[in-house]
Amino acid sequence: MNSPSQQPDRRAQSASSNKGFEKGQHLDFLQGLPQAIAVVRVDLDIMGKPYDLVPVYGNDALFCLFDTPKEKFIGTSLNNSSINFTQWLGTFWETAYQGRVQKITDFWPVQGRHLMVTCHQPQYGYCTCLFQDVSERVLLENELDRNRQKLEALLHSAVDMVFQIDPVTLAVTNLEESLASHGDLFKARRVPEGLFQQGLFAPGQDEKIKEAVNLIRFGVGDCTCEVRARVELNGPYTWHSLTAIGYVEPHSGEICIIGFLKDAHDRVKERDDLLFRAEKDSLCGIYNRAAGESLITLKLGNVDEADPTRAAMFIFDLDDFKNINDSAGHSTGDTVLTAFAGVLREVFRKEDVIFRLGGDEFAVFAQNLPVERVIKIYERVAAKLQKPLVQGVFVKVCAGVAFSQTGRHSYDDFYKTADKALYNAKEGGKGQIGVLCLCGSGA
């Protein structure tokens, strides 16, 4: 590539051979174009370096754009002009003398606009400038950039990991490079490749993710659930909030889903602890009376009228419990209560509702239970009490049972009937069971 100082002869030749060009000959067809066009001569000093720009042609759109009459523009040095071309001397020189096609976008204070200038070489030593007002585009890009920065600031505090979820296979992949390249935050929140092999989500989380994806596929814009996941290689699975957001790909019309993970371990643990304290008996660790009643009412409300289910409520009362407190102390009494709650957990099923009514009274509600099993269950409880619940302390228990063939009764119906059956059992002595069946609206 030749430097300007090596081309004095060609510059002299150019200056002497372009008189017709500078008079605007053969350029009249450009006058009616809506796009502003200028032809500028790039003058060099004796060292061959660019030092001035001199417009030799402009169309009407150009003079309108710069609000300058033709006679004050054509043939006038731009060094001292209010139109700031001189900052681009080097750029125009590259086009005028090297033929390089270039595009420049800058803000022009006098016009108060963002202009893009496309530079071509019409002849050696000259630069044709095509002006395009790109203010709206630049403002839009700036607005998008500001919004992206706001989004990154928001995500920085709200998101630990960002990824895509395939709505059909539920496969998790990183964002496309085109999206992840916008800002460092998305890159920092990518899933480490090794986690795809180790497992981003803990086993057993698929159903939660599937449910969230199905909600989005059926029109819900976004949904959030709690999952056990990890964001570091070889890290432990902890509780995270998974937010899935769906959108429609404009070209294919397919539903796409982006997932966000945010650490929620402490919040979930705190909530579960509060829930435990609200629902569980602080001494025995089983449900308290209010929680038991609520759960039973919920189960009874879900009984299908067309498909009734047999159900029973047991009320257990420890015999002579007051004597244990009086003789062995309340601490021993508390241990006995806790141990008996453990017996009920061993005998009854996981889906049965076990709760403490208060004092030495406990209750259990069980569905899908044949009547013939009621006595066998009590016998299993009594058999476990053949051994001391705590060292040297034996107890017996009476039980009252309310049984329903249909399960279509209220909590009060079950409770009052079981309480009446318990009264009958205690009338017969210690370690007895009474059973009453619920028929219609009563026992």
Side-chain angles (χ1 to χ4, degrees):
M1 184 179 295
N2 294 326
S3 68
S5 60
Q6 295 173 318
Q7 301 169 337
D9 293 336
R10 291 195 60 185
R11 288 198 306 278
Q13 181 182 0
S14 174
S16 63
S17 62
N18 290 320
K19 298 297 183 182
F21 181 77
E22 294 198 11
K23 291 180 180 179
Q25 295 175 354
H26 312 299
L27 298 177
D28 289 342
F29 70 95
L30 299 175
Q31 286 298 330
L33 293 181
Q35 186 173 12
I37 301 175
V39 179
V40 179
R41 188 182 71 233
V42 181
D43 290 342
L44 309 178
D45 61 19
I46 60 174
M47 300 299 296
K49 297 181 179 180
Y51 78 93
D52 197 5
L53 300 173
V54 179
V56 299
Y57 174 79
N59 66 354
D60 292 338
L62 178 77
F63 305 132
C64 180
L65 175 64
F66 290 102
D67 193 23
T68 301
K70 179 178 180 180
E71 56 272 15
K72 290 186 177 182
F73 187 77
I74 301 300
T76 302
S77 168
L78 295 181
N79 273 337
N80 300 317
S81 170
S82 61
I83 303 174
N84 188 18
F85 279 88
T86 54
Q87 62 174 323
W88 296 337
L89 267 172
T91 302
F92 284 4
W93 173 82
E94 290 177 347
T95 297
Y97 289 92
Q98 297 180 357
R100 184 177 298 175
V101 177
Q102 303 182 79
K103 288 186 178 181
I104 310 163
T105 301
D106 198 5
F107 179 71
W108 296 62
V110 175
Q111 285 70 37
R113 303 177 186 178
H114 293 270
L115 300 179
M116 182 175 71
V117 185
T118 305
C119 302
H120 298 267
Q121 183 197 54
Q123 291 185 19
Y124 185 78
Y126 291 81
C127 179
T128 297
C129 304
L130 289 79
F131 294 85
Q132 182 180 355
D133 188 346
V134 293
S135 298
E136 290 188 9
R137 190 193 74 187
V138 172
L139 291 174
L140 178 59
E141 290 175 350
N142 290 341
E143 180 65 21
L144 289 174
D145 187 61
R146 285 193 295 270
N147 289 337
R148 180 188 60 78
Q149 293 179 18
K150 292 177 183 178
L151 176 61
E152 288 196 1
L154 176 63
L155 292 179
H156 180 74
S157 60
V159 173
D160 294 323
M161 192 166 282
V162 184
F163 44 82
Q164 297 177 132
I165 304 175
D166 189 294
V168 178
T169 65
L170 304 184
V172 175
T173 57
N174 275 315
L175 299 178
E176 297 107 339
E177 289 297 328
S178 59
L179 181 57
S181 62
H182 290 286
D184 294 333
L185 183 69
F186 286 108
K187 295 179 182 178
R189 298 302 190 268
R190 288 168 62 84
V191 181
E193 291 300 325
L195 267 185
F196 290 124
Q197 284 73 44
Q198 288 190 1
L200 174 62
F201 297 104
Q205 307 302 296
D206 289 350
E207 284 303 315
K208 293 182 180 180
I209 299 172
K210 183 178 180 180
E211 183 179 357
V213 169
N214 285 337
L215 287 173
I216 291 175
R217 293 178 65 186
F218 289 116
V220 177
D222 62 86
C223 57
T224 299
C225 61
E226 290 167 352
V227 296
R228 292 185 64 80
R230 55 184 170 192
V231 296
E232 296 179 354
L233 289 170
N234 303 312
Y237 288 114
T238 57
W239 284 109
H240 285 75
S241 175
L242 169 63
T243 299
I245 299 177
Y247 66 94
V248 177
E249 209 283 326
H251 298 293
S252 65
E254 296 179 350
I255 294 177
C256 301
I257 301 175
I258 294 181
F260 302 89
L261 275 182
K262 174 64 178 176
D263 177 62
H265 195 73
D266 291 341
R267 175 173 59 81
V268 171
K269 287 295 184 182
E270 181 180 3
R271 184 200 63 201
D272 289 349
D273 183 57
L274 290 173
L275 188 62
F276 180 88
R277 283 185 282 172
E279 293 185 341
K280 297 301 177 74
D281 180 81
S282 59
L283 175 64
C284 300
I286 57 177
Y287 287 115
N288 58 33
R289 182 169 187 158
E293 180 177 349
S294 178
L295 288 171
I296 294 170
T297 301
L298 181 63
K299 284 178 174 287
L300 292 173
N302 291 330
V303 172
D304 190 349
E305 293 288 333
D307 185 24
T309 178
R310 291 167 290 187
M313 176 183 278
F314 295 74
I315 296 180
F316 296 94
D317 183 280
L318 299 181
D319 294 326
D320 296 326
F321 181 72
K322 184 178 182 301
N323 292 338
I324 296 175
N325 277 337
D326 291 343
S327 60
H330 288 278
S331 177
T332 300
D334 289 345
T335 304
V336 168
L337 295 175
T338 302
F340 183 72
V343 169
L344 296 180
R345 284 200 193 97
E346 292 175 7
V347 172
F348 285 92
R349 302 165 299 184
K350 185 177 180 180
E351 64 267 26
D352 299 333
V353 181
I354 304 172
F355 60 108
R356 183 183 176 194
L357 286 170
D360 61 344
E361 286 192 339
F362 296 78
V364 181
F365 180 77
Q367 291 178 306
N368 300 312
L369 187 69
V371 66
E372 57 269 18
R373 287 196 57 203
V374 170
I375 301 298
K376 292 182 179 179
I377 288 174
Y378 173 77
E379 289 174 346
R380 287 184 60 196
V381 172
K384 288 184 175 293
L385 298 181
Q386 295 300 312
K387 298 179 181 180
L389 284 181
V390 297
Q391 188 173 4
V393 178
F394 290 85
V395 297
K396 289 186 177 181
V397 65
C398 284
V401 184
F403 181 82
S404 170
Q405 286 284 358
T406 64
R408 294 199 295 266
H409 295 85
S410 68
Y411 171 85
D412 284 343
D413 290 336
F414 275 98
Y415 175 75
K416 291 178 180 178
T417 303
D419 190 54
K420 184 176 181 181
L422 177 62
Y423 177 81
N424 294 341
K426 294 174 76 69
E427 285 289 301
K430 296 179 176 62
Q432 302 296 314
I433 180 174
V435 181
L436 291 175
C437 291
L438 282 162
C439 301
S441 59

